[in-house]
Amino acid sequence: EYLVNDLLTLSAIESKGETLQLEKIPLTSVINPVLHLFKDRLENKHVRLNLNIPEGLPDISLDRIKMEQVILNLLDNAIKFTPSGGNISVQASLEHDFLRIDVKDTGIGIEPKHLPHLFERFYRVDKGRSRELGGTGLGLSIVKHILQMHDGRVAVESDVGQGSIFSLFIPIT
């Protein structure tokens, strides 16, 4: 079911038939509903989540539903790949003409050879493990495409055994 939904989402985005329903909103109105969805999963896995969204960030023009999906995909991965007792943080800052959102975890990390391919459709770092954890291999591809629709971009840094940081850059218009 997830695979079909992810394929339909990606197909719609890539076909350029998908349009953005832009509204100027505070970032917290996108992040808070998604965090709420993961509350039980975080507690059950004993993973701590730190949210750092400074006061005074400008409202940003974006498609709420699509951006919620971006945050959902990144948090889902962070929780999947962070062992019990680990930490995840979501923080936002202004960087030049962009709103930067970092989703950082203390998870298993990703080997450097995989980083250039992470945002390709169906790419999985650990095929057996991601299938076992319910991944479709499309989440990060969807993240990349939604950010491109917003004239933004996504970047990743990772150290094996230390964790990963996924950074979103959304233009402030």
Side-chain angles (χ1 to χ4, degrees):
E1 177 190 339
Y2 294 118
L3 179 60
V4 172
N5 288 339
D6 282 355
L7 273 171
L8 289 170
T9 299
L10 194 56
S11 173
I13 292 168
E14 286 181 344
S15 73
K16 307 286 189 258
E18 189 88 354
T19 57
L20 294 176
Q21 304 298 315
L22 294 176
E23 51 183 319
K24 209 167 181 82
I25 51 177
L27 181 61
T28 51
S29 73
V30 172
I31 291 181
N32 290 339
V34 177
L35 294 181
H36 186 72
L37 293 174
F38 288 111
K39 191 173 172 289
D40 292 343
R41 218 168 118 200
L42 287 160
E43 283 174 16
N44 293 340
K45 197 169 177 183
H46 306 290
V47 171
R48 228 180 1 265
L49 184 107
N50 303 304
L51 182 62
N52 182 3
I53 311 286
E55 294 285 316
L57 285 178
D59 287 356
I60 186 149
S61 188
L62 42 79
D63 184 310
R64 179 192 307 265
I65 303 224
K66 285 184 177 55
M67 204 50 71
E68 283 179 355
Q69 185 166 18
V70 164
I71 302 298
L72 190 131
N73 283 344
L74 293 179
L75 272 177
D76 183 52
N77 283 345
I79 295 167
K80 269 184 207 169
F81 297 109
T82 298
S84 181
N87 293 298
I88 296 171
S89 71
V90 177
Q91 55 193 48
S93 58
L94 290 178
E95 194 168 292
H96 307 296
D97 295 333
F98 291 89
L99 177 65
R100 177 180 178 152
I101 305 164
D102 289 324
V103 178
K104 181 179 183 178
D105 65 60
T106 57
I108 59 174
I110 304 159
E111 289 180 51
K113 69 179 181 184
H114 294 296
L115 294 177
H117 306 288
L118 273 189
F119 299 99
E120 295 170 8
R121 49 170 53 200
F122 299 118
Y123 190 81
R124 290 178 165 148
V125 171
D126 177 345
K127 305 203 179 346
R129 178 151 181 200
S130 52
R131 201 167 292 118
E132 164 195 320
L133 293 170
T136 62
L138 292 170
L140 291 176
S141 186
I142 290 169
V143 165
K144 179 185 88 172
H145 281 88
I146 289 174
L147 277 148
Q148 286 174 343
M149 288 176 79
H150 284 85
D151 297 321
R153 65 184 177 87
V154 60
V156 61
E157 297 168 49
S158 190
D159 289 311
V160 175
Q162 303 295 308
S164 303
I165 305 172
F166 284 83
S167 301
L168 311 175
F169 298 88
I170 306 162
I172 298 167
T173 45

